Amino acid sequence: MIETEFRRPVVTVDIVMLTPCRGELCVALLPRPNEPFADQPALIGGYIHTDEDLSAESAVRRILKAKAGIGDIFFEQLQTFASATRDPRDWSVSIAYFALLPEGWLEDPEGPLLLRPATSPGQLPFDHNEIIAIALERLRNKGAYSTIPARLLPEVFTMTELLAIYQTVMGERLDQSAFRRKVRELDLLEEIEGEKRRTESARRPTTLYRLKRPMSVFDRRL
Amino acid sequence: MIETEFRRPVVTVDIVMLTPCRGELCVALLPRPNEPFADQPALIGGYIHTDEDLSAESAVRRILKAKAGIGDIFFEQLQTFASATRDPRDWSVSIAYFALLPEGWLEDPEGPLLLRPATSPGQLPFDHNEIIAIALERLRNKGAYSTIPARLLPEVFTMTELLAIYQTVMGERLDQSAFRRKVRELDLLEEIEGEKRRTESARRPTTLYRLKRPMSVFDRRL
């Protein structure tokens, strides 16, 4: 049986960039330069360029750089969305990725990015609302038992900041002493010796921490 | 900026079907009908047919039916493999899925499928060895805290069979009383009242169980 080849689908990548902003988790959007849905905010994404991209991941890096001026960051594959109906142009495949960035990294008032609350980003083109919802679900599922939410913090942080970001990700208040005990048990953090931070609210200088074992080499970039 | 469209990649789906066989986890392979790699065993897969498939999932269902005579089964998306080099023909995207089936479901000596140990399936075409390795990793990561390995059992099973399949998936011996305690704590099973199984080895008839809360509607099909 010889299988004849069919008209090929369109293949794009889309990136769900999440970052804390104004006390909640926000998603980065970019107004679309072209039709369909021209000028409407949407996930950062674009076609795979078969003449220059070596892989879907290199397409993600090229697009982040070209469309949002973003350099080397950690991202991982989320899920692929592939159907005859998700894009009005043609049968379409979007390989979706997600990236977690510390607060302030994406907040450039001169830049092209818009930050919208990830749980209520407004009505977006294509299936971008569904893609964001699945990214949040993945983050919450993984967050409960991993160091992943710490990627939303700068390299050095206080225990209070760590608790706050877990609460932001999980969308619920966590018991502070149970949280500290869990973090100690899992042996995730190392104390930064000889360095403390003085804040106005705390009477004593606050201990600073960083992640002990990055979950992968990419983690080091944060 | 108008983005010109580039030559589109080839888009396929591949399915990692795992099933217990001969006391270990096996993967189902099919000899390839065409070049490249004609006659070599490989994962079951094929092109997305943009003229008839509504989604990648419908392509999976069509291909399982057409190439292996397999009807409605539970499968889920694993990961997408997309690069300029994974397929000698062209820039290629494979949306990979995995499926878990009870022992015996795929063992038809007249059928086209080959069952090979999933941890040592031999040298396979494309990146199929990598895809299988990632499926096993996913199953082990999920298996430790879910009912997913139970999908490798028939609907009704004994506690001994459940322990055995977790051991097969995790690739390690588990403490029997700790396992029973964990299963009880998680409240995963319901006893099938009025039905027991008599085996030669056990002095008393053995209690039979089934999963209490299927993890999704698809679960019920197993």
Side-chain angles (χ1 to χ4, degrees):
Chain A
M1 174 186 73
I2 297 292
E3 197 178 20
T4 51
E5 214 197 303
F6 287 79
R7 199 184 75 257
R8 298 178 180 192
V10 166
V11 183
T12 60
V13 294
D14 283 302
I15 307 111
V16 182
M17 302 189 73
L18 298 172
T19 189
C21 77
R22 303 180 291 271
E24 59 187 330
L25 212 54
C26 290
V27 60
L29 303 175
L30 197 63
R32 286 181 53 79
N34 307 315
E35 293 293 346
F37 309 111
D39 303 323
Q40 291 186 41
L43 290 174
I44 305 164
Y47 292 120
I48 283 182
H49 290 184
T50 47
D51 62 341
E52 57 171 328
D53 299 325
L54 289 178
S55 64
E57 285 73 26
S58 38
V60 169
R61 279 188 289 268
R62 176 181 52 74
I63 288 164
L64 285 175
K65 187 87 187 153
K67 299 195 175 176
I70 293 167
D72 235 7
I73 58 163
F74 174 82
F75 56 86
E76 67 179 279
Q77 208 182 98
L78 174 66
Q79 191 174 308
T80 294
F81 299 80
S83 78
T85 51
R86 61 174 299 279
D87 186 321
R89 287 168 291 189
D90 203 346
W91 216 108
S92 152
V93 174
S94 167
I95 311 172
Y97 289 80
F98 75 123
L100 304 178
L101 294 170
E103 179 143 24
W105 274 43
L106 298 177
E107 283 172 51
D108 173 7
E110 309 284 300
L113 292 179
L114 309 167
L115 291 183
R116 293 258 187 93
T119 51
S120 54
Q123 180 63 45
L124 305 179
F126 310 107
D127 48 4
H128 288 190
N129 287 90
E130 185 194 351
I131 297 177
I132 294 168
I134 287 172
L136 288 176
E137 194 188 319
R138 177 79 63 91
L139 178 60
R140 284 183 188 141
N141 284 343
K142 285 200 164 191
Y145 58 92
S146 83
T147 59
I148 287 178
R151 290 203 200 119
L152 293 161
L153 293 176
E155 199 191 337
V156 169
F157 46 81
T158 68
M159 189 61 82
T160 308
E161 288 166 347
L162 187 66
L163 173 65
I165 203 71
Y166 272 77
Q167 290 186 150
T168 301
V169 164
M170 304 307 290
E172 57 186 18
R173 286 195 70 78
L174 302 170
D175 177 72
Q176 189 169 329
S177 63
F179 181 77
R180 284 171 184 264
R181 197 175 337 116
K182 192 77 186 165
V183 167
R184 224 172 10 245
E185 272 172 24
L186 293 173
D187 194 26
L188 301 175
L189 303 184
E190 63 184 15
E191 205 177 307
I192 299 185
E193 284 179 49
E195 267 189 69
K196 305 244 180 203
R197 187 187 297 167
R198 286 178 188 280
T199 59
E200 282 189 39
S201 60
R203 265 165 296 173
R204 293 181 302 167
T206 316
T207 307
L208 297 174
Y209 298 91
R210 80 174 121 228
L211 285 181
K212 201 167 193 172
R213 287 186 299 261
M215 294 195 64
S216 84
V217 289
F218 294 106
D219 255 316
R220 298 180 194 275
R221 298 186 190 174
L222 294 192
Chain B
M1 175 187 74
I2 297 290
E3 196 177 21
T4 51
E5 214 198 301
F6 288 78
R7 202 184 73 256
R8 299 180 179 189
V10 166
V11 184
T12 60
V13 294
D14 283 301
I15 308 111
V16 182
M17 301 189 73
L18 298 172
T19 189
C21 75
R22 301 179 293 270
E24 58 187 333
L25 213 53
C26 290
V27 59
L29 303 174
L30 198 62
R32 285 180 54 77
N34 308 316
E35 294 293 346
F37 309 112
D39 302 325
Q40 290 186 41
L43 290 174
I44 305 164
Y47 292 120
I48 282 181
H49 289 184
T50 47
D51 62 340
E52 58 171 326
D53 300 324
L54 289 178
S55 64
E57 286 70 28
S58 37
V60 169
R61 279 187 288 269
R62 176 182 51 75
I63 288 164
L64 284 175
K65 187 86 188 155
K67 298 195 175 176
I70 293 168
D72 235 6
I73 58 164
F74 175 82
F75 55 87
E76 66 179 281
Q77 209 183 97
L78 175 65
Q79 190 174 307
T80 294
F81 299 80
S83 79
T85 51
R86 60 175 300 278
D87 186 321
R89 287 168 291 189
D90 205 345
W91 217 108
S92 152
V93 174
S94 167
I95 312 172
Y97 288 80
F98 75 123
L100 304 177
L101 295 170
E103 180 143 25
W105 274 43
L106 298 177
E107 283 172 52
D108 173 8
E110 310 283 300
L113 292 178
L114 309 167
L115 291 183
R116 294 257 187 94
T119 51
S120 54
Q123 180 63 45
L124 304 178
F126 311 106
D127 48 3
H128 288 190
N129 286 89
E130 186 195 349
I131 296 177
I132 294 167
I134 286 172
L136 288 176
E137 196 188 317
R138 176 79 62 92
L139 178 59
R140 283 184 188 141
N141 284 344
K142 286 200 163 191
Y145 59 93
S146 83
T147 58
I148 287 179
R151 290 202 200 121
L152 294 159
L153 292 176
E155 199 191 335
V156 169
F157 47 81
T158 68
M159 189 62 81
T160 308
E161 288 166 346
L162 187 67
L163 173 65
I165 202 71
Y166 271 76
Q167 292 187 147
T168 301
V169 164
M170 304 307 288
E172 57 186 17
R173 285 195 70 78
L174 301 170
D175 177 72
Q176 189 170 330
S177 63
F179 180 79
R180 284 171 184 265
R181 195 172 342 115
K182 192 78 186 164
V183 167
R184 218 165 21 238
E185 272 171 24
L186 294 173
D187 193 27
L188 301 175
L189 304 184
E190 63 183 17
E191 205 177 307
I192 299 185
E193 283 178 51
E195 267 188 68
K196 305 245 180 205
R197 187 187 299 167
R198 286 176 189 281
T199 59
E200 282 188 39
S201 60
R203 264 165 298 171
R204 291 182 303 169
T206 315
T207 308
L208 296 174
Y209 298 91
R210 81 175 119 226
L211 285 181
K212 201 167 192 173
R213 288 186 299 260
M215 295 195 61
S216 84
V217 289
F218 294 106
D219 256 313
R220 297 179 194 275
R221 299 187 188 173
L222 293 193

